[in-house]
């Protein structure tokens, strides 16, 4: 009997740790040490665990201000391109100097799992 698995976004696969995991899995597949199906299962578990840990353990304390250049909404995903952005961090033990950048791209996905209210 097949079990229905909740799909998770694959956004974190392009992070530095996600890319390192993907490279390691590719090496193992090319050496014949694991099957491609196992690598896909590992990546699916990675997607799930990173999403859950970030939702449960990370408490964001950040504000930003900038000039909205472009925005779009497609397939339940918002994309914002912002120019001249200043980030302000609220650290629990004191102040952190603001960080400025010329432009940033923010991708925002629904945090609710399918079927959640």
């Amino acid at each position: 009997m097949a079990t229905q698995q909740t799909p998770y976004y694959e956004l974190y696969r392009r992070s530095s740790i996600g890319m390192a995991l993907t490279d390691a899995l590719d090496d193992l597949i090319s050496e014949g040490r694991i099957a491609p199906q196992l690598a896909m299962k590992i990546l699916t578990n990675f997607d799930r665990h990173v999403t859950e840990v970030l939702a449960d353990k990370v408490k964001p304390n950040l504000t930003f201000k900038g000039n909205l250049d472009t925005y779009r909404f497609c397939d339940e995903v918002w994309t914002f391109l912002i120019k001249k952005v200043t980030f302000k961090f609220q650290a629990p033990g004191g102040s952190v100097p603001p960080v400025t950048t010329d432009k940033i791209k923010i991708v925002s996905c629904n945090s609710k799992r399918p079927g959640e209210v």
Side-chain angles (χ1 to χ4, degrees), residues 96-111:
V96 176
V99 176
T100 304
T101 185
D102 293 333
K103 61 183 174 179
I104 189 167
K105 178 180 182 179
I106 297 174
V107 178
S108 176
C109 304
N110 189 356
S111 65

Side-chain angles (χ1 to χ4, degrees), residues 11-100:
L11 294 173
Y12 303 109
R13 291 185 189 186
R14 290 192 284 174
S15 67
S16 57
I17 192 168
M19 293 297 288
L21 175 62
T22 302
D23 290 344
L25 292 171
D26 287 343
D27 290 345
L28 291 171
I29 291 169
S30 65
E31 293 170 4
R33 295 174 67 188
I34 65 170
Q37 295 83 358
L38 178 58
M40 289 307 300
K41 188 170 184 172
I42 291 168
L43 286 172
T44 302
N45 282 330
F46 172 79
D47 297 335
R48 179 172 59 94
H49 287 289
V50 169
T51 301
E52 290 174 356
V53 166
L54 288 175
D56 294 339
K57 305 290 183 193
V58 176
K59 304 298 178 220
N61 290 311
L62 168 86
T63 58
F64 64 91
K65 185 176 184 179
N67 300 322
L68 181 61
D69 183 52
T70 307
Y71 66 93
R72 69 183 77 93
F73 181 70
C74 181
D75 295 332
E76 299 294 319
V77 176
W78 281 100
T79 303
F80 302 95
L81 300 174
I82 305 170
K83 293 185 175 180
K84 299 179 184 173
V85 184
T86 301
F87 295 94
K88 295 181 182 176
F89 304 92
Q90 292 99 29
S95 65
V96 176
V99 176
T100 304

